[in-house]
Amino acid sequence: MNCLYLHPRSSGLPVQSFKSYTRQPSSYVNIPGVMNTTDLRQSVVLKAISGSTSSTEMDGAKVEEEKSEIYSNNMTEAMGAVLTYRHELGMNYNFIRPDLIVGSCLQTPEDVDKLRNIGVKTIFCLQQDPDLEYFGVDIAAICEYANTYDDIQHLRAEIRDFDLFDLRMRLPAVVSKLHKAVNQNGGVTYVHCTAGLGRAPATALAYMFWVQGYKLGEAHDLLLSKRPCFPKLDAIKSATADILTGLKKKLVTLTWKGDNCSTVEISGLDIGWGQRMPLKFDGEQGLWILERELPEGHYEYKYVVDGEWLCNKYELMTPSNKDGHVNNYIQVLDNDPDSFNATLRKRLTGDEPILTKNERLKIRETLGAHSDDD
């Protein structure tokens, strides 16, 4: 089967993590001669795996641990929850249903064999190239190796990490591609991002909610009972409302008061926690100002003032979560709160959104109409 690729916006940040099943070290012997299918599989695996241990490899392991530590810290800061990923321990995953697995990224071609051995027919990768490059994952070798088999397919459908808005915008196209792959390939589907803690569980949840007929709360409870993770429910709820009501934008203005700083930026909002957007200083008002058009929805953000992450006490703030994290937030609403679309969006983004039979049918029709190139 082919290795297919659905490409959106890109980002330069690393991603998230967890641990459960771990990869055991293996060695492979390179067989010279004609490159038949067996030889190709062995040579591809050799690109990523070494059979000996040296001081250089020990140093490399230390580097991997340090990268994991940095990544975990970035993830905790961006996601608002304490999450840990140890890339050096290898691929980890959990069965959510008998036909659906959520896990961390494949690291070597041999991981393809591990997934084939448990019945996986579709590997669904949500990572962007910078995510793979950060941990030195050779995605080309993994795809090339998967393509030597006719009973498993490797697909890519990128979502930018640490970015609630990009997740919301991308989910319909991504779940559409996932749904079509499941229908085509059957068997078990492996959905992964880098750590399997954010994008992958959110994609699996949306699929269970939109396609498999679960209530969102039921799917969420099932997921968490199988795998500790932190999917962003707000992104799934907003994406559901977007499909059924469309996207309307409104101009919003955010400000930071003070002339005793040299730079003020915003992170979060609709650009994700991995990026920052500068505010312009208005000397007459003594305010740093950002004007931006945003679709209806709930947005969290923080100011970065001369490099320091701060909340604006004059703007709305989220309650402190269990880990003590607090953000500013803004709610962008329809001008007519009593309109049909406003009422529908309010219901779908509430605590317990439940889809009617017609609403789920409309969502499935929308997913079916998506092009794989969207």
Side-chain angles (χ1 to χ4, degrees):
M1 293 188 181
N2 294 328
C3 178
L4 302 179
Y5 183 25
L6 181 61
H7 176 73
R9 300 181 285 174
S10 65
S11 126
L13 265 197
V15 218
Q16 40 208 181
S17 55
F18 176 66
K19 82 180 155 193
S20 133
Y21 299 93
T22 59
R23 173 170 59 84
Q24 300 300 318
S26 301
S27 61
Y28 289 78
V29 178
N30 189 10
I31 304 175
V34 179
M35 289 297 287
N36 57 29
T37 299
T38 301
D39 294 337
L40 174 59
R41 288 174 187 154
Q42 289 170 327
S43 74
V44 169
V45 169
L46 274 168
K47 295 179 184 178
I49 301 171
S50 169
S52 62
T53 301
S54 66
S55 59
T56 301
E57 289 173 322
M58 295 295 288
D59 291 341
K62 183 66 185 267
V63 170
E64 287 293 301
E65 290 179 10
E66 291 175 352
K67 283 187 173 183
S68 293
E69 188 69 27
I70 292 169
Y71 180 78
S72 295
N73 290 338
N74 287 342
M75 178 167 52
T76 293
E77 179 69 29
M79 300 289 282
V82 177
L83 301 169
T84 302
Y85 176 55
R86 308 270 31 128
H87 185 80
E88 64 277 9
L89 297 181
M91 182 175 66
N92 70 78
Y93 57 84
N94 298 92
F95 277 86
I96 310 306
R97 291 167 36 102
D99 60 352
L100 181 62
I101 302 174
V102 172
S104 66
C105 64
L106 283 70
Q107 299 185 14
T108 70
E110 73 165 351
D111 287 334
V112 174
D113 287 325
K114 293 181 179 180
L115 296 180
R116 287 182 70 244
N117 289 339
I118 57 173
V120 170
K121 300 298 183 184
T122 302
I123 300 169
F124 200 75
C125 172
L126 302 169
Q127 293 174 285
Q128 294 189 312
D129 286 347
D131 308 336
L132 297 157
E133 292 162 4
Y134 179 76
F135 282 113
V137 175
D138 188 346
I139 189 65
I142 292 171
C143 284
E144 185 180 356
Y145 186 63
N147 285 343
T148 64
Y149 293 106
D150 60 6
D151 62 352
I152 193 166
Q153 184 178 30
H154 188 288
L155 298 171
R156 294 186 68 187
E158 293 187 23
I159 298 175
R160 191 163 61 193
D161 202 18
F162 306 145
D163 191 334
L164 184 66
F165 186 75
D166 194 58
L167 177 62
R168 167 188 173 181
M169 293 292 103
R170 296 285 301 146
L171 269 177
V174 168
V175 173
S176 168
K177 185 168 186 174
L178 174 62
H179 182 36
K180 292 172 184 176
V182 171
N183 285 342
Q184 173 183 303
N185 299 332
V188 180
T189 300
Y190 186 82
V191 182
H192 77 86
C193 48
T194 298
L197 299 180
R199 293 169 289 179
T203 299
L205 272 183
Y207 175 71
M208 295 166 73
F209 183 38
W210 294 344
V211 176
Q212 294 187 315
Y214 285 84
K215 295 179 181 178
L216 184 58
E218 291 174 348
H220 187 242
D221 290 344
L222 175 61
L223 176 71
L224 294 187
S225 74
K226 304 294 185 179
R227 181 175 181 84
C229 54
F230 199 66
K232 292 291 190 178
L233 293 179
D234 284 346
I236 300 170
K237 294 175 182 179
S238 293
T240 306
D242 293 343
I243 293 172
L244 295 174
T245 70
L247 280 171
K248 292 182 181 178
K249 291 188 175 183
K250 290 180 65 176
L251 183 67
V252 301
T253 302
L254 300 173
T255 62
W256 180 271
K257 185 175 178 62
D259 56 5
N260 58 344
C261 48
S262 58
T263 62
V264 178
E265 301 166 301
I266 275 183
S267 187
L269 213 58
D270 64 331
I271 60 170
W273 295 107
Q275 300 190 65
R276 300 178 185 182
M277 194 163 28
L279 281 70
K280 292 183 178 180
F281 184 66
D282 185 322
E284 291 184 5
Q285 301 183 66
L287 293 175
W288 296 83
I289 300 172
L290 173 71
E291 292 186 338
R292 193 163 182 84
E293 280 196 334
L294 296 175
E296 295 172 73
H298 175 92
Y299 299 88
E300 295 187 13
Y301 59 95
K302 261 185 176 173
Y303 291 90
V304 186
V305 182
D306 288 341
E308 183 180 3
W309 291 70
L310 299 169
C311 283
N312 188 337
K313 64 181 180 180
Y314 300 109
E315 294 173 357
L316 296 172
M317 289 193 291
T318 63
S320 176
N321 68 12
K322 64 180 181 180
D323 301 312
H325 293 275
V326 177
N327 294 323
N328 284 121
Y329 76 91
I330 186 171
Q331 195 78 21
V332 182
L333 302 172
D334 193 307
N335 289 330
D336 181 3
D338 298 320
S339 69
F340 174 80
N341 279 352
T343 302
L344 178 57
R345 181 174 287 275
K346 183 177 180 180
R347 171 168 67 81
L348 294 174
T349 56
D351 291 337
E352 225 13 273
I354 296 176
L355 295 173
T356 67
K357 183 178 179 179
N358 286 338
E359 288 167 352
R360 184 169 273 114
L361 179 61
K362 181 177 179 181
I363 288 174
R364 289 173 180 170
E365 289 174 348
T366 301
L367 297 179
H370 266 286
S371 164
D372 284 350
D373 296 327
D374 287 350

